[in-house]
Amino acid sequence: MSDQQRPMGKPTLAPPAGPRTATRGQRWALFLGCGIALLFSLWLFQGILTPFVLAATIAYFLDPLATRLARLGLPRGIAAFLLVTLLAAMTLMALLLLYPLIVAQLGVLVLRLPAYIAGVGQALRDLLTALEETLGPEMIDQRLRELAISQVGSMLSWLGGATTRLIGGGFALFSVFTFVVVTPVVAFYLLRDWPDMLTRIESWLPRRSANVIRQIARDTDRVLSAWLRGQLLCCLGLGIFYAFALHFAGLELGITIGIMSGFLTFIPYVGSLTGFATAVLLAIGQFGSWEEVLVIVAIFVIGQGIEGYIIYPYLLGNRVELHAVWVIFALFAGGVAFGFLGVLLAVPMAAAIGVVARYWLRRYLESPLYLDPPRTGQ
């Protein structure tokens, strides 16, 4: 079409320019925008996200098994269905077996709590009397002794009530509908489509930083999967060991305390110390003899030896790169910020932040900011 034949009033479009390059400000805006949108979404939908986060955790944990079954020739959908069904059946069976037992032991706790308090008070009274005879009445008098005994009784009453509410509320934390329907169904679809979702997300990565993001994601997956395997082995192994050992040691609430101690092991040191203190106090209140109490102490010492010298060194090696203090901080910070949802998300976010921090530290140690020689005096 010639210039004379071109319609008047319509401006001609300039030919497309060459490839554009994103500025540093645009990259930072994309990064910060995604981060703010993620945090805002967590805050806005935290009341309904818990079953979906649980489902994603299940899918992440079962993905290696589903991938292995798919490589053996089983369709991915069938493998996902079998794995999720098997896990749901095992969980339901464990609840049906443990729930009546734990409820019965909670009843024993409620009935025996005054006797436990009296036993601990008597043991403390005997200990303070022995200290008074050793150190003299000017160091420990009658009023101090009675004050200490009353405070210990108050603490045990609060601990017993809090334990009852915690365990009872833990079973009622999610509705039956959430456990039986939503989480398994979502976990099945996530597990079935896991490779496709990862491929789609990878296709959305900015091409300039795709290799770096892939490497960070691989490192995060390695750290997180090692931590999850380690904590699962610790929680399962120590829970079974403590439950049987405390039960055969004669502790009336041994099974409940053992399960609680094993479950709380996912909080480094805090969980084991909580179970240890609870078991020792109950043993003092029940037995009133230091020989039986020392048996309870020995059980927890052996449990910590199993964790520190067998599970981690021989089953995991040095693959767990999350420091205990960092995990504790992440769990408490996540719980304060988003409740139970924050606890679920705390360790994955801690693993990702740790990997990114190590990446930037390597970049810094290779940069002129670190390598520039010191200034010489003039």
Side-chain angles (χ1 to χ4, degrees):
M1 181 182 294
S2 64
D3 293 340
Q4 291 80 8
Q5 295 174 330
R6 183 178 294 114
M8 299 298 294
K10 294 184 178 180
T12 59
L13 298 176
R20 298 175 58 188
T21 302
T23 63
R24 182 182 295 270
Q26 290 174 328
R27 298 190 188 100
W28 276 106
L30 176 63
F31 175 76
L32 293 177
C34 292
I36 293 172
L38 176 61
L39 292 177
F40 178 75
S41 299
L42 290 176
W43 172 79
L44 184 62
F45 300 110
Q46 59 180 313
I48 63 171
L49 281 180
T50 301
F52 296 93
V53 174
L54 279 175
T57 304
I58 293 172
Y60 175 79
F61 186 78
L62 295 179
D63 176 64
L65 293 176
T67 301
R68 186 171 301 178
L69 291 176
R71 289 175 180 172
L72 294 176
L74 191 65
R76 178 85 184 192
I78 297 178
F81 177 78
L82 292 177
L83 290 174
V84 172
T85 303
L86 179 61
L87 180 62
M90 292 173 60
T91 304
L92 184 60
M93 184 180 300
L95 289 176
L96 291 177
L97 292 176
L98 294 177
Y99 183 75
L101 179 62
I102 293 177
V103 169
Q105 294 212 336
L106 286 178
V108 173
L109 175 62
V110 172
L111 293 176
R112 297 277 296 163
L113 187 59
Y116 290 151
I117 295 174
V120 173
Q122 182 61 43
L124 182 59
R125 185 178 290 107
D126 295 340
L127 177 61
L128 292 177
T129 301
L131 289 177
E132 183 179 357
E133 294 175 354
T134 303
L135 302 177
E138 65 278 0
M139 299 294 295
I140 300 176
D141 58 8
Q142 180 71 22
R143 289 180 299 173
L144 178 61
R145 185 165 64 244
E146 295 301 326
L147 178 63
I149 293 171
S150 64
Q151 290 300 319
V152 169
S154 301
M155 291 173 59
L156 283 177
S157 299
W158 176 87
L159 181 62
T163 303
T164 304
R165 292 191 301 270
L166 177 63
I167 297 177
F171 283 103
L173 183 61
F174 304 111
S175 64
V176 176
F177 177 77
T178 299
F179 264 124
V180 176
V181 179
V182 176
T183 300
V185 170
V186 175
F188 163 72
Y189 282 109
L190 290 178
L191 182 59
R192 187 195 66 178
D193 301 330
W194 194 265
D196 296 334
M197 290 189 301
L198 292 183
T199 303
R200 180 64 61 86
I201 293 174
E202 185 178 2
S203 68
W204 294 339
L205 298 178
R207 298 297 92 188
R208 179 187 180 95
S209 307
N211 291 332
V212 174
I213 296 175
R214 290 193 197 99
Q215 185 59 47
I216 291 175
R218 284 193 290 267
D219 292 341
T220 302
D221 174 67
R222 175 176 51 83
V223 173
L224 182 60
S225 60
W227 189 89
L228 285 176
R229 284 195 299 270
Q231 293 309 114
L232 179 64
L233 289 173
C234 283
C235 292
L236 183 61
L238 293 181
I240 294 174
F241 169 76
Y242 286 142
F244 279 97
L246 294 176
H247 176 70
F248 287 113
L251 192 65
E252 289 179 334
L253 302 175
I255 295 178
T256 300
I257 299 300
I259 294 174
M260 182 189 73
S261 301
F263 175 75
L264 292 178
T265 303
F266 80 95
I267 308 177
Y269 304 115
V270 176
S272 57
L273 288 176
T274 301
F276 170 77
T278 305
V280 169
L281 286 175
L282 291 177
I284 293 174
Q286 176 183 338
F287 300 121
S289 173
W290 292 105
E291 288 78 8
E292 286 84 354
V293 175
L294 290 178
V295 172
I296 303 300
V297 173
I299 289 173
F300 277 88
V301 171
I302 294 173
Q304 291 304 299
I306 293 174
E307 176 185 357
Y309 294 99
I310 296 178
I311 294 179
Y312 274 89
Y314 291 99
L315 299 181
L316 293 171
N318 297 320
R319 289 173 290 176
V320 180
E321 301 177 17
L322 287 176
H323 196 276
V325 177
W326 179 232
V327 173
I328 295 172
F329 173 80
L331 289 170
F332 279 90
V336 170
F338 300 106
F340 186 73
L341 174 64
V343 174
L344 291 177
L345 294 174
V347 174
M349 295 182 68
I353 293 174
V355 170
V356 173
R358 285 190 289 270
Y359 168 76
W360 283 110
L361 179 60
R362 290 195 300 268
R363 291 282 302 270
Y364 163 71
L365 294 177
E366 296 171 355
S367 70
L369 290 173
Y370 176 77
L371 297 174
D372 277 351
R375 295 180 179 180
T376 57
Q378 297 294 334

